[in-house]
Amino acid sequence: SQQGEEDPQALSIQEGENATMNCSYKTSINNLQWYRQNSGRGLVHLILIRSNEREKHSGRLRVTLDTSKKSSSLLITASRAADTASYFCATGPRTEGEAAGNKLTFGGGTRVLVKP
Amino acid sequence: DVKVTQSSRYLVKRTGEKVFLECVQDMDHENMFWYRQDPGLGLRLIYFSYDVKMKEKGDIPEGYSVSREKKERFSLILESASTNQTSMYLCASSRTSSAQPQHFGDGTRLSIL
């Protein structure tokens, strides 16, 4: 079953605009991660935020985490055509066992199209 | 730079065949994972391994097995391929310590005819 649910499922914006996508999850987490997937390729890790953090930045990416609402958002500022991709959130569980804690549960993804 | 290599980008097999998908990582990672990705269903974990010869079932292990004889290599085996196993298969690896990112290969698009 999916832990993370992304919203919206698809997003179309003009180059230069900001893109925001949201992720909701159901159980307690240790961390939440965002990944990008270009068409026909594997996933690339973008950013990781731990459960005790509220906001994190990396270049044009800004991630927020609200554990009380069990939700996260990814903001891409000043989007470029090269940002066209699917974006996935993934949650790492809060768990006793170290091995199990390295498993991630992925959401269904948001497809982002940035038009030039 | 981190690299996860999957042996084939595209593979076509017939129903009933035994299929091997290979994955190699060069980062000395303890953990390795196999996922399948289907439209509308996201990534679903098939199996993962946290050490050589160690494995744990994921969410959808039925019809699959795995082998990890060496730390750098993790194989996914379809014992008797069926058409509902047509999918994109993704391999990933990560370190064991808390809150680690996973590094993915480029995937194998497998078609079972």
Side-chain angles (χ1 to χ4, degrees):
Chain A
S1 61
Q2 291 181 8
Q3 160 79 314
E5 298 286 344
E6 284 94 337
D7 171 57
Q9 289 189 325
L11 185 58
S12 180
I13 56 174
Q14 293 293 137
E15 207 164 25
E17 293 180 342
N18 294 342
T20 300
M21 60 210 85
N22 303 296
C23 170
S24 59
Y25 57 91
K26 296 171 186 170
T27 60
S28 294
I29 63 169
N30 169 276
N31 68 92
L32 186 142
Q33 304 180 27
W34 286 92
Y35 289 79
R36 184 188 74 232
Q37 183 180 35
N38 291 96
S39 182
R41 306 299 296 271
L43 278 70
V44 174
H45 179 260
L46 295 175
I47 197 165
L48 182 153
I49 186 165
R50 296 174 188 268
S51 59
N52 60 354
E53 297 175 308
R54 292 295 166 257
E55 189 170 311
K56 208 160 183 182
H57 297 255
S58 176
R60 294 184 296 113
L61 305 180
R62 174 179 169 252
V63 169
T64 62
L65 178 65
D66 186 336
T67 52
S68 67
K69 295 181 179 177
K70 291 187 168 60
S71 69
S72 172
S73 68
L74 172 67
L75 168 67
I76 305 173
T77 60
S79 62
R80 305 166 182 169
D83 294 327
T84 293
S86 292
Y87 292 82
F88 294 86
C89 70
T91 53
R94 184 183 302 282
T95 180
E96 294 284 326
E98 198 171 53
N102 291 138
K103 288 198 295 184
L104 296 176
T105 304
F106 287 81
T110 294
R111 293 188 314 278
V112 174
L113 172 64
V114 181
K115 294 180 280 188
Chain B
D1 207 8
V2 161
K3 194 153 180 68
V4 177
T5 303
Q6 294 185 230
S7 53
S8 305
R9 290 294 307 277
Y10 302 93
L11 206 52
V12 179
K13 296 290 182 181
R14 298 225 170 259
T15 303
E17 280 192 69
K18 191 168 186 175
V19 181
F20 293 85
L21 302 183
E22 307 286 346
C23 176
V24 176
Q25 51 99 359
D26 65 359
M27 298 158 286
D28 202 35
H29 283 170
E30 295 83 9
N31 300 321
M32 296 189 75
F33 307 83
W34 275 108
Y35 297 90
R36 65 176 282 177
Q37 183 177 25
D38 301 287
L41 296 176
L43 273 75
R44 293 179 292 168
L45 182 64
I46 305 171
Y47 267 98
F48 84 103
S49 169
Y50 51 91
D51 202 350
V52 175
K53 297 190 188 294
M54 306 304 288
K55 61 186 179 185
E56 281 198 22
K57 292 179 180 179
D59 298 319
I60 51 163
E62 296 78 20
Y64 303 94
S65 62
V66 290
S67 172
R68 191 153 180 215
E69 296 297 318
K70 293 185 177 181
K71 191 175 186 180
E72 66 270 20
R73 186 179 297 271
F74 192 35
S75 303
L76 179 68
I77 303 152
L78 285 66
E79 297 290 343
S80 178
S82 64
T83 54
N84 63 13
Q85 292 178 310
T86 290
S87 187
M88 172 73 127
Y89 289 86
L90 292 163
C91 174
S93 71
S94 76
R95 295 205 180 283
T96 291
S97 48
S98 177
Q100 292 293 316
Q102 292 185 8
H103 302 271
F104 283 81
D106 272 339
T108 295
R109 188 164 294 282
L110 175 65
S111 296
I112 307 295
L113 305 179

